[in-house]
Amino acid sequence: MNAPAHPVTFKATPRGADRYQYLTQTDAGTPAGELMRRYWQPVALIDSLPQGAAPQPVRILGEDLILFRDDDGRVGLIDRKCAHRCTDLALGRIEDGGIRCPYHGWLFDVEGRCLSQPAEASATAKDRIRMKSYPLHEAAGAFWAYMGPGEPPLFPNYPALVGGSEHCYTTRWFGDCNWLQASEGNIDPVHTSYLHQLELSSDDMKARWGVFSNQARPELAIEDTRFGVRLYTQRKIDDERSSLRVTNFVMPNACAVGGFEGYLGEGGLTMLWDVPIDDRHHWRWEFIFHRSGELDKAALEKQYQSEKQEGDRMWRTWENLYSQDRESMKGKAYLGLGECFSVHDIAITQSQGTIHEQTNEHLSSSDIAIVRARRMLDEAAQAVAQGSDPRGVVRSEKDNNFRDMVVATGEIRCSESKEVWCAAYAASDDLFRPQRSAT
């Protein structure tokens, strides 16, 4: 593996019952924080920063930054505090090819270079000033940042991110808890039989979610992949047939799970990123994709906006137990929090506490993916400490094809090997890669 330009050192990770608790800490200089910075992370919706927009404050991985589009349309992500006297550049002026501090007029471009110090006597002093800045990439309706050292890795051609806007619906939610417990909820296949249980009244819903309701105790298996962990969830239909759901943990804070196959046919998946804002909050990013490009975006937007208030926060709050409808729990709703699965996930992981204490856990056989993911994150943090790229970082074009990131729900014979079925699926016509088009 390639070594980053500037390996970092930090304290050894702890041992004992709280072996992986350090993974909740993501500031710069922490093991998990340095690991996170080796990958591209989504930071803002592209639509939130049109030409002429005000500078947008961004807090990510414990850092306060400013996202802005200059008057030529270029986008930058730089330190929020001016390099002169630490004025908040959220108040800055967009002009003359950059963002100008309103205190003394210093002007910075999208790469953090100081272009002008109008009140200074020296004409060259500005050339010694460089603000912290991070490279950006645009994909799937979001700005992505690389916050690590050295040359950025290639942006990964994950299935849900490679198509144009007609194939993808992108949204995000504010999460009032640590990133790790939210991420682990995404790779817990058993909870779908409980938390998301609804009365399946329509044929579309039965086609989409009925596979989760026919057996509450599925057979689980995992295997390591080059990008994370593959999860097999098998539920018996009868003596000869089983349903098989294949999903993925994607290093270090993403997953790839089933999408909208029910009413659109095969070719759908959803990728989720739980991106730390700081150690007590995160953004849940959703990239909902279908190869056909026939997503009902208006319906998705209507459902999501009905559950949100300003700032992409749920209107449901812990103080009133998320407005749980106990009466509805007697009928169609298992949880009593409506039909939006995102709301279910966010509420339940926030209920674990701001930072979930692993010492209070009693892990069981259904947690095999979570246990392996924690160990994989730990291994990757150690690789970073030793100056190597962690698992899943892409440096060559030949490695940037992710048809092996299989996301599928199908039916197999009980005697059939799930691994063989998955390999054959990956080798078949590539369902999840539309022709690349403009983002």
Side-chain angles (χ1 to χ4, degrees), residues 203-277:
D203 290 339
D204 285 349
M205 285 296 290
K206 289 176 182 177
R208 184 179 170 194
W209 302 116
V211 66
F212 303 137
S213 61
N214 67 335
Q215 190 181 101
R217 190 175 65 189
E219 177 185 326
L220 304 178
I222 60 173
E223 63 182 356
D224 288 0
T225 65
R226 63 192 177 99
F227 49 80
V229 181
R230 181 174 292 121
L231 290 70
Y232 296 104
T233 306
Q234 197 165 344
R235 291 174 167 90
K236 191 173 181 180
I237 298 173
D238 54 36
D239 291 340
E240 296 184 355
R241 300 173 301 142
S242 292
S243 68
L244 178 64
R245 185 176 184 235
V246 184
T247 56
N248 304 270
F249 166 62
V250 182
M251 283 284 292
N253 58 325
C255 72
V257 297
F260 287 78
E261 294 88 350
Y263 64 90
L264 289 180
E266 288 185 293
L269 64 89
T270 296
M271 291 196 73
L272 306 175
W273 264 262
D274 290 291
V275 181
I277 298 171

Side-chain angles (χ1 to χ4, degrees), residues 16 65 154 183 268 285 287 313 325:
L65 308 169
L154 297 181
S183 181
W285 283 87
F287 299 90
R313 296 170 179 258
D325 182 354

Side-chain angles (χ1 to χ4, degrees), residues 126-411:
K126 63 180 177 55
D127 300 330
R128 298 191 294 271
I129 303 296
R130 187 70 180 263
M131 295 268 282
K132 176 172 62 180
S133 67
Y134 295 119
L136 292 168
H137 181 85
E138 296 183 24
F143 293 114
W144 302 71
Y146 175 72
M147 299 173 64
E151 185 70 19
L154 297 181
F155 188 82
N157 286 330
Y158 294 149
L161 307 181
V162 299
S165 60
E166 68 272 21
H167 295 276
C168 187
Y169 174 81
T170 301
T171 191
R172 68 176 189 174
W173 302 77
F174 179 84
D176 201 9
C177 65
N178 185 264
W179 78 275
L180 184 62
Q181 62 214 57
S183 181
E184 290 180 345
N186 300 330
I187 55 173
D188 169 14
V190 173
H191 84 269
T192 56
S193 295
Y194 296 92
L195 184 68
H196 300 315
Q197 193 178 133
L198 296 168
E199 182 179 306
L200 304 177
S201 56
S202 71
D203 290 339
D204 285 349
M205 285 296 290
K206 289 176 182 177
R208 184 179 170 194
W209 302 116
V211 66
F212 303 137
S213 61
N214 67 335
Q215 190 181 101
R217 190 175 65 189
E219 177 185 326
L220 304 178
I222 60 173
E223 63 182 356
D224 288 0
T225 65
R226 63 192 177 99
F227 49 80
V229 181
R230 181 174 292 121
L231 290 70
Y232 296 104
T233 306
Q234 197 165 344
R235 291 174 167 90
K236 191 173 181 180
I237 298 173
D238 54 36
D239 291 340
E240 296 184 355
R241 300 173 301 142
S242 292
S243 68
L244 178 64
R245 185 176 184 235
V246 184
T247 56
N248 304 270
F249 166 62
V250 182
M251 283 284 292
N253 58 325
C255 72
V257 297
F260 287 78
E261 294 88 350
Y263 64 90
L264 289 180
E266 288 185 293
L269 64 89
T270 296
M271 291 196 73
L272 306 175
W273 264 262
D274 290 291
V275 181
I277 298 171
D278 50 38
D279 293 348
R280 303 175 70 84
H281 312 89
H282 72 278
W283 286 111
R284 171 191 169 101
W285 283 87
E286 300 186 17
F287 299 90
I288 300 173
F289 167 85
H290 201 281
R291 172 177 59 96
S292 71
E294 297 177 5
L295 291 171
D296 189 345
K297 296 185 183 182
L300 286 168
E301 185 73 7
K302 181 179 180 180
Q303 182 189 53
Y304 285 171
Q305 290 306 317
S306 71
E307 293 287 355
K308 287 184 179 182
Q309 57 181 333
E310 187 177 357
D312 288 322
R313 296 170 179 258
M314 293 195 307
W315 60 262
R316 301 173 186 268
T317 64
W318 173 84
E319 286 76 11
N320 64 2
L321 290 180
Y322 303 105
S323 299
Q324 187 181 43
D325 182 354
R326 304 292 298 189
E327 190 63 27
S328 73
M329 295 167 67
K330 299 175 183 177
K332 65 179 182 179
Y334 186 87
L335 181 62
L337 297 188
E339 297 184 352
C340 182
F341 285 15
S342 302
V343 168
H344 302 172
D345 290 333
I346 296 166
I348 213 69
T349 52
Q350 288 182 173
S351 78
Q352 294 174 287
T354 304
I355 303 177
H356 168 55
E357 291 292 338
Q358 296 171 6
T359 51
N360 296 330
E361 294 179 330
H362 295 80
L363 296 179
S364 64
S365 60
S366 66
D367 299 311
I368 57 172
I370 291 170
V371 172
R372 180 60 191 127
R374 289 180 186 177
R375 289 176 179 168
M376 188 171 286
L377 288 165
D378 180 54
E379 294 161 3
Q382 302 312 312
V384 169
Q386 294 164 14
S388 298
D389 275 340
R391 186 189 298 259
V393 168
V394 182
R395 295 288 181 183
S396 68
E397 289 292 348
K398 68 180 180 61
D399 294 329
N400 207 13
N401 182 329
F402 287 92
R403 67 178 298 142
D404 55 334
M405 190 181 286
V406 173
V407 175
T409 300
E411 188 178 298

Side-chain angles (χ1 to χ4, degrees), residues 53-56 66-71 76 78-120 126 131:
Q56 183 178 143
I66 200 78
L67 182 74
F68 70 97
R69 189 183 294 274
D70 71 17
D71 42 7
I78 67 174
D79 199 336
R80 184 169 176 173
K81 296 296 186 181
C82 176
H84 181 204
R85 298 262 295 279
C86 298
T87 299
D88 188 351
L89 289 178
L91 302 172
R93 297 172 58 88
I94 304 299
E95 60 187 23
D96 300 330
I99 184 169
R100 190 180 296 279
C101 177
Y103 201 5
H104 300 96
W106 288 24
L107 179 70
F108 300 93
D109 71 6
V110 295
E111 294 182 346
R113 289 185 291 256
C114 187
L115 303 179
S116 174
Q117 297 171 316
E120 299 304 310
K126 63 180 177 55
M131 295 268 282

